[in-house]
Amino acid sequence: MSTPSPHEPAYADRVYRSPMAVVTGVLILAMIVWLCGDAVVRGVGVGRWIGLAAALCAVPLTVAFTIRPAVFANEDRMRVRNPFRIIELPWGVVDAVRAGYSAEVLADGAKYQLWSVPVSLRERKKANRSAGRTQALGGGGAGGSGDKAAPVARASADKAVDELTELAERGAARPGAQGPVRVRWAWEIIVPAVLGAVALGVLLVV
């Protein structure tokens, strides 16, 4: 891992996000722009304002649940960017990173979901079956006991959790990995979404 520059954020080393969620978000945003844009251009009277209000509400919510979620991690801490919150966790306070039905981090008596690390039970079962077949074959193919064993298959969420757990264990005692958990609400998402929803509700009522 490269050493962060003093002029760069300390959490910019490794990024974990769902490519499928990003692609889905871009497609949904394109649909919103098309539908709401058509309402603004072709609509008359209050119809144009309904299109604008709908876009103001839908765009930030779509970004929040698809493009925005990410986990940034380096030697000192991890930063979790969820739909409506940003959680910064120094490794010194992280108790565990785990993936059951969802990926989550336990720290300082609280639990935080990792939205950007989706758990696929289907992928996990497939990886477990592949690992079982590898073990049945002796773990290393036909090269004999002296050959290097083949890597055990792991689901992508489990691999991400393994990497984050390794970073947490390695960095827990570092001086720069100490401090409290910091949580910030994503007002840049919440405010426009609420304003758009209120405006849309008022326009539909009147």
Side-chain angles (χ1 to χ4, degrees):
M1 182 185 302
S2 60
T3 303
S5 166
H7 303 293
E8 296 177 351
Y11 44 75
D13 288 359
R14 296 190 186 185
V15 182
Y16 301 87
R17 69 193 325 153
S18 170
M20 184 59 67
V22 174
V23 171
T24 301
V26 170
L27 294 176
I28 294 175
L29 287 175
M31 185 179 298
I32 293 172
V33 170
W34 175 46
L35 295 175
C36 295
D38 185 71
V40 172
V41 173
R42 298 175 182 272
V44 293
V46 72
R48 293 183 173 181
W49 292 106
I50 290 177
L52 285 173
L56 182 62
C57 178
V59 167
L61 290 178
T62 300
V63 171
F65 286 99
T66 58
I67 299 174
R68 175 183 170 81
V71 172
F72 305 87
N74 73 357
E75 295 179 342
D76 289 332
R77 67 195 65 243
M78 68 185 297
R79 188 178 69 135
V80 180
R81 195 170 69 190
N82 282 342
F84 302 115
R85 295 194 301 176
I86 297 176
I87 307 104
E88 186 172 329
L89 305 108
W91 293 129
V93 298
V94 171
D95 299 317
V97 185
R98 64 190 186 187
Y101 292 106
S102 64
E104 56 193 21
V105 55
L106 307 179
D108 204 18
K111 179 172 66 176
Y112 306 97
Q113 300 293 324
L114 306 181
W115 280 74
S116 68
V117 185
V119 174
S120 171
L121 298 182
R122 181 179 180 182
E123 182 186 8
R124 181 178 287 165
K125 289 178 181 178
K126 182 178 179 181
N128 289 340
R129 287 197 299 268
S130 177
R133 287 195 296 268
T134 299
Q135 292 175 357
L137 293 173
S145 59
D147 289 349
K148 184 178 180 180
V152 177
R154 296 279 284 164
S156 56
D158 294 327
K159 287 192 289 187
V161 167
D162 288 346
E163 292 178 7
L164 291 170
T165 298
E166 182 182 352
L167 284 172
E169 292 174 349
R170 200 166 63 208
R174 288 172 56 87
Q178 311 307 313
V181 176
R182 294 188 177 90
V183 180
R184 180 178 74 82
W185 289 98
W187 297 112
E188 65 276 15
I189 295 290
I190 297 172
V191 171
V194 171
L195 290 177
V198 171
L200 184 60
V202 171
L203 290 169
L204 292 175
V205 168
V206 300

